[in-house]
């Protein structure tokens, strides 16, 4: 019998800072609107010529995580890469990481669960470790949103929210069964698939040859979000799935030392914080600086919280996410 634990964490965000005022210059929005509705003050965008892609950012975060885990890259038995913005339609980002890091020919899995992608990835890694099959798994969440957003006023409800960046974790075998990843809880509800989606690049359209090249009015090539519906579902599902994880482990909300919510909207995080009676010290938010980095959001926030000394041995750490699919999930960790 084995448990699994996070043995190393890393993050990378592009240097290029885009403030709300910067966006106000190119679309009809304002710093006040964005801060009031989302809490976001600025986000990072890849800049032309900086060499970043979704895979490259993930690799930069992964190198830090591997070093902090104290293992050699060739000790990695599996790569799991979560993103909704892969470098290529296929193959996925995992193989690009394997090649760039020159890791032996280990397996690579891509996970397509958007904002819940990192939770789904951790849950997958955890099972491979607990089964005894693998000892060290590299999990990456990375997004290049800025390459695919509508920067006209038409796209403002979505575009102001999202940012670029990556986070990574090494998940390793743990012999002490009282420590590490205690459980993960995953859900989906596909009836809402089109309420937060990017429909345009799909194989049905290729087959039926209904694709139009360079049509500026074809908004199906930009992400669509039914914002209020997503918001309402998010606050319910976040709360439910955190409670599910606590119940599974006979924990009470006041035993949470650190909650890392997916950074979708500061108002969602604050609602969840209040619902569970947590203080500001028990929740780590950084959406103010990075916006919503989807699969990157939880590993970036987790890395930051850990770097700032907010997570210590023995702490109960709760990760929770909700997003496109709809999919949602939580992971309960004893650090
Ligand atoms: O990570 C995946 C999960 N995602 C989420 O959880 C996001 C959940 N949803 C939200 O966070 C919020 O719904 C948003 C932040 C996306 C939008 O906030 P809202 O309070 O729901 O605003 P709204 O969409 O109802 O729009 C209100 C008004 C509209 O104008 P009218 O129709 O009232 O005249 C919008 O056109 O605000 C307008 N608006 C904007 N105005 C300035 C929408 N986007 C903007 C903008 N700047 N960027």
């Amino acid at each position: 019998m084995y448990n699994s634990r996070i043995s190393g964490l890393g993050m990378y965000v592009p240097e290029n800072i885009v403030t709300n005022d910067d966006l106000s210059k190119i679309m009809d929005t304002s710093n006040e609107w964005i801060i009031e509705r989302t809490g976001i003050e600025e986000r990072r965008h890849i800049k032309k010529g900086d060499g970043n892609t979704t895979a490259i950012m993930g690799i930069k975060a992964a190198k830090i995580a591997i070093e902090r885990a104290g293992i050699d890259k060739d000790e990695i038995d599996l790569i799991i890469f979560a993103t909704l913005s892969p470098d290529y339609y296929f193959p996925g980002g995992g193989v690009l990481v394997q090649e760039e890091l020159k890791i032996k020919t280990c397996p690579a899995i891509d996970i397509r669960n958007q904002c819940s992608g990192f939770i789904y990835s951790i849950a997958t890694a955890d099972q491979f470790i607990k089964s005894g099959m693998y000892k060290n798994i590299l999990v990456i969440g990375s997004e290049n949103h800025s390459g695919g957003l509508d920067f006209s006023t038409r796209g403002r409800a979505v575009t102001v929210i999202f940012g670029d960046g990556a986070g990574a974790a090494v998940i390793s075998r743990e012999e002490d069964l009282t420590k590490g990843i205690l459980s993960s809880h995953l859900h989906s509800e596909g009836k809402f698939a089109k309420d937060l989606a990017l429909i345009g690049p799909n194989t049905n359209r290729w087959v039926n040859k209904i694709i139009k090249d360079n049509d500026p009015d074809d908004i199906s090539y930009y992400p669509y979000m039914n914002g209020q519906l997503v918001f309402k579902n998010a606050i319910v599902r976040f709360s439910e799935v955190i409670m599910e994880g606590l119940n599974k482990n006979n924990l009470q909300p006041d035993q949470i030392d650190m909650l890392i919510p997916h950074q979708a909207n500061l108002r969602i995080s604050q609602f969840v914080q209040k619902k569970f009676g947590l203080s500001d010290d028990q929740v780590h938010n950084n959406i103010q600086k990075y916006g919503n980095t989807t699969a990157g959001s939880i590993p970036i926030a987790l890395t930051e919280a850990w770097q700032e000394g907010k997570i210590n041995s023995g702490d109960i750490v709760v990760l929770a996410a909700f997003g496109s699919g709809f999919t949602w999930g939580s992971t309960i960790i004893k650090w």
Side-chain angles (χ1 to χ4, degrees):
M1 288 268 284
Y2 300 111
N3 214 346
S4 71
R5 71 183 170 95
I6 295 179
S7 57
L9 285 165
M11 62 173 274
Y12 173 81
V13 289
E15 282 174 19
N16 178 34
I17 297 173
V18 177
T19 64
N20 294 342
D21 285 336
D22 291 334
L23 292 177
S24 310
K25 288 176 194 143
I26 52 173
M27 64 177 76
D28 182 12
T29 188
S30 66
N31 184 39
E32 294 69 33
W33 191 97
I34 300 170
I35 288 186
E36 190 194 316
R37 306 282 175 136
T38 70
I40 299 165
E41 295 165 23
E42 58 190 40
R43 72 286 294 141
R44 305 296 179 99
H45 284 175
I46 288 177
K47 203 173 182 175
K48 199 175 171 194
D50 72 5
N52 283 312
T53 67
T54 299
I56 296 290
M57 290 190 292
I59 288 159
K60 288 176 180 173
K63 282 182 177 168
I64 300 168
I66 293 168
E67 195 187 329
R68 286 175 174 167
I71 60 166
D72 184 81
K73 63 179 175 55
D74 282 323
E75 291 178 77
I76 290 168
D77 302 308
L78 169 67
I79 298 165
I80 304 180
F81 196 102
T83 189
L84 63 68
S85 52
D87 288 21
Y88 309 136
Y89 196 83
F90 71 85
V95 298
L96 304 180
V97 176
Q98 182 270 332
E99 165 60 15
E100 186 68 24
L101 290 181
K102 301 280 176 244
I103 298 173
K104 59 182 171 13
T105 60
C106 73
I109 300 174
D110 273 52
I111 297 251
R112 297 290 307 274
N113 283 83
Q114 299 68 247
C115 301
S116 313
F118 192 75
I119 300 277
Y120 270 75
S121 301
I122 290 253
T124 305
D126 183 42
Q127 294 307 310
F128 274 116
I129 301 234
K130 283 183 175 149
S131 72
M133 188 163 173
Y134 296 132
K135 274 190 185 169
N136 295 297
I137 300 176
L138 173 61
V139 176
I140 298 172
S142 181
E143 304 290 357
N144 166 11
H145 282 303
S146 65
L149 295 170
D150 179 356
F151 284 96
S152 72
T153 295
R154 187 180 59 184
R156 65 184 180 176
V158 169
T159 299
V160 300
I161 296 172
F162 291 100
D164 301 340
V170 176
I171 318 289
S172 299
R173 182 182 284 181
E174 169 63 58
E175 311 271 341
D176 178 351
L177 298 184
T178 65
K179 268 171 61 174
I181 296 174
L182 302 181
S183 63
S184 291
H185 307 271
L186 308 175
H187 296 273
S188 73
E189 197 174 24
K191 77 175 176 189
F192 296 115
K194 289 186 179 169
D195 286 295
L196 178 44
L198 199 159
I199 303 292
N202 73 70
T203 47
N204 292 326
R205 300 182 73 177
W206 291 341
V207 170
N208 297 316
K209 302 212 183 315
I210 54 173
I211 203 160
K212 283 194 220 156
D213 285 337
N214 303 320
D215 178 356
D217 295 324
D218 188 354
I219 56 168
S220 73
Y221 280 80
Y222 295 117
Y224 165 77
M225 176 163 66
N226 182 348
Q228 293 197 4
L229 179 86
V230 174
F231 192 99
K232 283 181 198 148
N233 277 270
I235 55 176
V236 173
R237 298 308 194 183
F238 261 108
S239 306
E240 274 178 12
V241 82
I242 292 170
M243 208 57 229
E244 185 184 349
L246 294 177
N247 287 340
K248 169 80 183 168
N249 295 287
N250 297 317
L251 293 165
Q252 299 301 317
D254 63 6
Q255 291 175 275
I256 298 175
D257 294 296
M258 178 54 66
L259 169 65
I260 309 279
H262 161 55
Q263 301 292 291
N265 184 319
L266 191 58
R267 290 191 293 147
I268 295 176
S269 296
Q270 287 167 340
F271 178 93
V272 175
Q273 174 177 343
K274 205 169 159 202
K275 171 136 187 137
F276 288 95
L278 303 174
S279 67
D280 288 349
D281 293 345
Q282 290 167 291
V283 185
H284 189 76
N285 287 307
N286 59 12
I287 191 169
Q288 301 91 327
K289 290 187 291 182
Y290 305 127
N292 179 346
T293 54
T294 306
S297 126
I298 289 182
I300 291 173
L302 184 61
T303 302
E304 222 182 50
W306 177 79
Q307 286 175 174
E308 290 172 18
K310 291 180 172 181
I311 299 175
N312 298 297
S313 180
D315 281 356
I316 295 295
V317 178
V318 175
L319 316 178
F322 175 88
S324 164
F326 293 153
T327 59
W328 61 102
S330 65
T331 296
I332 316 292
I333 303 169
K334 184 158 189 207
W335 207 262

